Amino acid sequence: MAKRNYYEILGVDKNADLDTIKKAYRKLVRKYHPDVSKEPDAVQKTAEVNEAYETLKDTQKRTEYDEMLANPFDGTSQTRGNPFEGAYGDTNGFRHYEFHSGDDEPFGQGDFHFEDLFSAFGRRGQQSHTRQTGPMKGEDQHAELSIDIAAAYDGTERSVTLNVPTIDEYGRITQQNKTLNVKIPKGITEGQQIRLARQGLPGINGGENGDLYLKIRFHERPDLYVKNKKDVCQTIDVFPWLAALGGKIQVVTLGGRLQLNLPANSQNGKSIRLKGKGIPAKEPGDLYLNIRILVPPVEDDAGRAAWEQIATHFASKQA
């Protein structure tokens, strides 16, 4: 059986535009990623998909590849074979990043989490077929980094160990562990990126390594989350009599302990806005305190009598 060409591997038409090719690529990488796929040849298929994509996403390389497909037996291709074939070398060399916390001390809800790395770790093999012989910078890598919202208030530094790909003297892709310090600056917001210089793929012909970019995401809970990138929403519990009467209350927030005036007749689900008390970015966000009425349990006769008195009073008002 003839070997499938790159269009067949990605499942797209030869006239497919770049957007269609990208969508097909991402779908297949998710499907065959070694961490999630149960298929025995997932590693090989992932490497094939990456190899196909690295050629078809590049206009010049795609043009050359199309010419080769149209003229498979011309003098040049007979002597050199497919110039794009095997760009990733041994498919068992395909690897992905793995990230591990650098120490055992807990940090919030588990501050570091990395997702969706779709990377062509065989870039060096592919570049070796080009005419360029000078130094070339390695490919940049991208990942998502989830942190607790508290880290954005105070800033922090964390040691993490990365299991990253490297290329040995024979051009084979291997892995090695690197321990890096990642500094989370105070005021960082959702979607911002932290750049780790020269922690991407190795350079070619003496070129410097690429960079690693970590895109920030926040751990969220139903009672504590971020909206509009830097506004913080926090649920506060209020007893019924405080909600009815209003008055001064103390609230513990990520920015510290605050005293505020609770309006009388505050209702469950209503919010109190504290301007500038959200993420302390260059232009600080706001803090929204969402009121949740907390009804204390009836544990004795005195408590029951108190609630019955309240019930009798308000029943008469509704009559």
Side-chain angles (χ1 to χ4, degrees), residues 19-311:
D19 185 58
T20 300
I21 290 172
K22 286 182 178 180
K23 289 179 179 179
Y25 165 70
R26 288 186 174 272
K27 180 179 179 181
L28 290 171
V29 170
R30 288 180 185 273
K31 177 179 179 181
Y32 294 122
H33 195 285
D35 281 352
V36 298
S37 178
K38 296 182 180 180
E39 299 195 23
D41 57 349
V43 172
Q44 179 180 351
K45 287 183 177 179
T46 302
E48 290 177 352
V49 168
N50 273 317
E51 182 177 321
Y53 177 66
E54 283 299 308
T55 295
L56 298 186
K57 75 174 184 179
D58 185 284
T59 302
Q60 181 178 347
K61 294 173 185 175
R62 183 177 179 180
T63 299
E64 294 176 0
Y65 183 70
D66 287 344
E67 291 176 356
M68 185 204 69
L69 289 180
N71 302 280
F73 300 111
D74 66 11
T76 303
S77 62
Q78 275 186 322
T79 57
R80 72 179 182 179
N82 183 349
F84 301 92
E85 186 176 344
Y88 286 79
D90 182 0
T91 55
N92 291 326
F94 176 82
R95 295 292 186 269
H96 62 285
Y97 277 120
E98 296 177 2
F99 300 84
H100 307 280
S101 176
D103 55 60
D104 296 327
E105 180 183 356
F107 179 68
Q109 300 297 316
D111 48 343
F112 289 92
H113 180 61
F114 299 82
E115 300 175 345
D116 292 346
L117 275 169
F118 301 114
S119 305
F121 295 129
R123 186 178 179 89
R124 174 172 179 167
Q126 186 172 12
Q127 289 172 335
S128 65
H129 291 288
T130 67
R131 295 185 178 87
Q132 183 168 347
T133 58
M136 296 178 64
K137 181 181 177 181
E139 185 178 5
D140 293 339
Q141 297 295 284
H142 298 265
E144 287 191 352
L145 169 60
S146 293
I147 63 173
D148 282 340
I149 301 172
Y153 274 81
D154 302 321
T156 187
E157 189 168 334
R158 189 71 166 174
S159 175
V160 294
T161 299
L162 294 75
N163 191 8
V164 299
T166 187
I167 301 176
D168 65 16
E169 58 183 314
Y170 302 105
R172 295 175 301 190
I173 301 175
T174 60
Q175 286 188 313
Q176 68 179 53
N177 289 333
K178 286 185 180 180
T179 299
L180 303 172
N181 288 325
V182 180
K183 185 176 182 180
I184 310 297
K186 178 179 178 179
I188 196 166
T189 58
E190 181 113 319
Q192 280 191 287
Q193 295 191 105
I194 297 174
R195 173 177 171 261
L196 301 181
R198 295 180 295 280
Q199 300 303 324
L201 288 187
I204 310 301
N205 297 330
E208 67 178 15
N209 291 0
D211 300 328
L212 173 61
Y213 290 88
L214 306 179
K215 188 175 183 179
I216 293 297
R217 289 284 180 265
F218 287 125
H219 287 306
E220 296 186 343
R221 310 192 308 258
D223 60 344
L224 183 65
Y225 58 92
V226 174
K227 67 177 183 179
N228 302 326
K229 295 187 177 181
K230 56 185 179 180
D231 293 335
V232 177
C233 299
Q234 177 182 343
T235 298
I236 59 172
D237 290 326
V238 177
F239 288 122
W241 52 87
L242 285 175
L245 301 176
K248 292 183 178 180
I249 62 173
Q250 285 195 344
V251 179
V252 177
T253 72
L254 295 178
R257 188 179 295 272
L258 300 176
Q259 181 171 286
L260 58 92
N261 287 317
L262 184 71
N265 297 316
S266 294
Q267 299 297 311
N268 189 67
K270 295 295 183 180
S271 296
I272 301 173
R273 177 189 176 209
L274 300 181
K275 186 175 177 61
K277 297 297 184 179
I279 301 293
K282 185 176 181 180
E283 295 182 4
D286 299 331
L287 174 62
Y288 291 84
L289 300 176
N290 300 325
I291 297 173
R292 180 170 60 191
I293 305 299
L294 181 64
V295 179
V298 176
E299 297 178 338
D300 51 35
D301 291 341
R304 180 177 296 278
W307 280 113
E308 287 176 348
Q309 183 178 0
I310 292 174

